[in-house]
Amino acid sequence: MKFENFLASRILSYKRYKNTISSPIIKISIMSIIIAIIVINFSVSIGFGIQKEIRDKFITISGDYYISNFKNETFSTYYPIDLNNIDNQFFGSKKFSKINKVVYNPGIIPVNSTFLDIVFKGIDDDGLSSVNKFVQNKDLLNIDIGEVLVSDILAKKLNVKRGDYIKFLFFKDQNSKIPIVRNLKVIELYKSSISELDSKLVFGNIKQSQLINKWNDNFTGGLEVYIEKNDLKKQDLDFLFSSIPPDYDIQKISERFPEIFNWIKLFDTNIYLIVILMIAVGGINMITALLVTVLDKTKLISRLKILGANNSSIRKIFMINGFYLIMKGIIWGNIISLSLMIIQKRFSLVRLDPMTYYSDHVPVEIDPLKILLINLVVIAISMLMLLIPSRSVSKIKPNSSFKLT
């Protein structure tokens, strides 16, 4: 064992060392590292967890890419796209995990003496498999032409339950004066916790939408394209754009709902700010601890210098001491934070308001790579900060620390 390692281990294991004036300061410094790691791990895991939760929900309901007529709006498809104009290779391509045909029909529901605005989204069987994630009855295999799925929010507003019928009024286009009336049966309720969608989106059979618009099977309102890992290689993206006629619009999910995705991007700034502040607080406390330790060991440093130890060697002893304290704080911080995060991920004990956060619980994303990277960054920055107090070793003179008797 090297001299520096040996002496550092002896200092740390020395019983009287634990009763010195520096002992409570060292304990506070270790506690600050523990708290810093807990806060950083939670900030990163919860911050990115909420981002992933919201992003995945929007993608599940709307796809990674959305193809529609340029004249259409986000929740209306009065102008169809002709499937005959799209290359057949596009639908058979293995570059995409799924392509759903959808139609959005804006409508109203008479409620007492007023009307409730809704959007009827016609979906095919593939679209139902996507929505099934939010449906209470996971065994739902299909929606008949006279059936609908409504959110639990709409069900409460309309005071309806499974098996009840709802009267819908639709218009074939924006200039229509006479509504198209449909009485549709509620077969199931869904809950995505996305208030913008749950408050107005009703899912039904795409053939009902085609009947309302008087379209044949070759026409649809839009295509929702799903990809495996929320990312396309450049050649795959080129294939997507080359397969679609130039008069059809192709939107990424973040472009279709820019307000939502710009909002969740703000989480990154908050996460990085918290990480920087926690590392700074932990590092400053470690500087204080090491500086107090150096001052407390003035006589030891003087003896080592008299015996021939140079400043570099003595600094290394205290750096090793600091490294041990940092590691102790990091290990305990990870044990505590990971335990709490696993409990939250498993049991969802901490709840959220879904109207604000688009989730009814605090989502946690435990990414071992991110946690490992955080630990390495904390260690590296803390050790660099410890170089500052370690330089005070060179200012201690042996002749000023002893009185000859």
Side-chain angles (χ1 to χ4, degrees), residues 41 76 88 102 107 112 132-133 144 161 190 206 211 219 271 276 285 296 309 321 329 344 355 370:
N41 282 349
S76 68
N88 288 330
V102 297
N112 298 327
N132 251 339
K133 178 180 177 181
D144 288 338
K161 58 184 182 300
Y190 77 90
I206 192 171
L211 285 174
F219 289 94
I271 292 169
I276 292 170
N285 276 277
D296 190 42
N321 192 322
Q344 174 62 22
M355 299 297 290
K370 285 179 183 175

Side-chain angles (χ1 to χ4, degrees), residues 364-400:
V364 175
E365 182 189 12
I366 302 176
D367 189 334
L369 187 60
K370 285 179 183 175
I371 292 174
L372 177 61
L373 183 60
I374 287 169
N375 288 323
L376 293 175
V377 170
V378 171
I379 293 170
I381 294 178
S382 298
M383 292 303 293
L384 287 172
M385 293 177 76
L386 289 184
L387 291 173
I388 300 171
S390 69
R391 298 180 69 86
S392 61
V393 168
S394 61
K395 298 181 180 180
I396 297 175
K397 307 296 182 183
N399 58 359
S400 65

Side-chain angles (χ1 to χ4, degrees), residues 264-379:
I264 64 176
K265 277 183 181 178
L266 295 176
F267 282 48
D268 292 341
T269 303
N270 296 333
I271 292 169
Y272 298 141
L273 182 60
I274 291 172
V275 170
I276 292 170
L277 288 176
M278 287 299 101
I279 292 176
V281 170
I284 290 171
N285 276 277
M286 287 307 303
I287 288 176
T288 304
L290 192 61
L291 188 58
V292 171
T293 303
V294 170
L295 295 176
D296 190 42
K297 297 297 178 185
T298 301
K299 288 186 177 181
L300 174 62
I301 295 170
S302 298
R303 290 190 183 103
L304 291 173
K305 287 188 175 183
I306 290 172
L307 292 172
N310 58 36
N311 288 327
S312 177
S313 181
I314 298 173
R315 280 202 301 268
K316 191 177 292 184
I317 293 170
F318 288 97
M319 289 293 289
I320 293 171
N321 192 322
F323 176 76
Y324 169 82
L325 299 177
I326 292 169
M327 289 304 300
K328 187 175 181 179
I330 285 176
I331 290 170
W332 276 108
N334 281 310
I335 290 173
I336 295 170
S337 61
L338 288 173
S339 299
L340 293 175
M341 286 191 294
I342 290 170
I343 292 172
Q344 174 62 22
K345 191 175 182 68
R346 176 70 179 84
F347 300 104
S348 299
L349 298 179
V350 183
R351 313 299 293 182
L352 291 175
D353 179 9
M355 299 297 290
T356 303
Y357 295 99
Y358 304 113
S359 178
D360 57 2
H361 67 280
V362 175
V364 175
E365 182 189 12
I366 302 176
D367 189 334
L369 187 60
K370 285 179 183 175
I371 292 174
L372 177 61
L373 183 60
I374 287 169
N375 288 323
L376 293 175
V377 170
V378 171
I379 293 170

